[in-house]
Amino acid sequence: MELGEYLLSIGRVTDADLCMALSLHTGVPIGRYDARKVKLGVRRSLPAHVEERFKVLPVDMRAGKLIVAGRKLLTPEALASIRSLTSLKVDFQLITQQNYHELLVFGRRIE
């Protein structure tokens, strides 16, 4: 278990605190997405195995970019693999564990 996950599990940090610390440490932006507002076409823009393998979800498309979000940082190899699946530029954002769960559960409900 990673240190941040451990601190979260014992209540020493909040989900939002952990997300903010990762963002500040790495420079990766934080996002917050309303699951009801993520369009179906965006949800289906990547194959389902991407979520299972990399724990990221497509959440937005704007200005020729596909925004994917996840709770943990992506390795350069994971990001390259995701980029190979779309013609759009792919940007990654961190989201809280709670937001990830909301997006995942809502997405499964409507599919």
Side-chain angles (χ1 to χ4, degrees):
M1 179 183 284
E2 295 174 358
L3 176 60
E5 295 295 319
Y6 173 72
L7 293 172
L8 181 63
S9 73
I10 63 170
R12 292 289 188 164
V13 297
T14 66
D15 190 17
D17 290 341
L18 181 56
C19 192
M20 179 64 74
L22 271 172
S23 177
L24 290 172
H25 181 70
T26 62
V28 174
I30 295 173
R32 172 80 179 110
Y33 295 92
D34 183 337
R36 297 166 296 177
K37 293 183 180 177
V38 177
K39 295 178 182 171
L40 190 57
V42 173
R43 290 181 189 281
R44 293 183 175 168
S45 63
L46 292 174
H49 71 83
V50 171
E51 184 279 319
E52 296 161 6
R53 183 172 176 199
F54 301 118
K55 305 296 185 220
V56 297
L57 299 166
V59 292
D60 199 6
M61 273 189 213
R62 58 184 123 114
K65 294 180 186 178
L66 175 64
I67 311 299
V68 297
R71 296 179 39 239
K72 296 184 179 185
L73 297 173
L74 290 176
T75 64
E77 296 80 15
L79 193 52
S81 182
I82 294 167
R83 286 181 172 147
S84 74
L85 298 171
T86 180
S87 60
L88 299 170
K89 182 178 182 219
V90 176
D91 283 346
F92 174 74
Q93 292 188 354
L94 287 166
I95 56 174
T96 63
Q97 181 176 346
Q98 178 182 349
N99 193 200
Y100 182 85
H101 181 72
E102 291 165 357
L103 290 163
L104 188 62
V105 169
F106 188 82
R108 288 183 177 159
R109 262 195 347 224
I110 65 165
E111 301 255 333

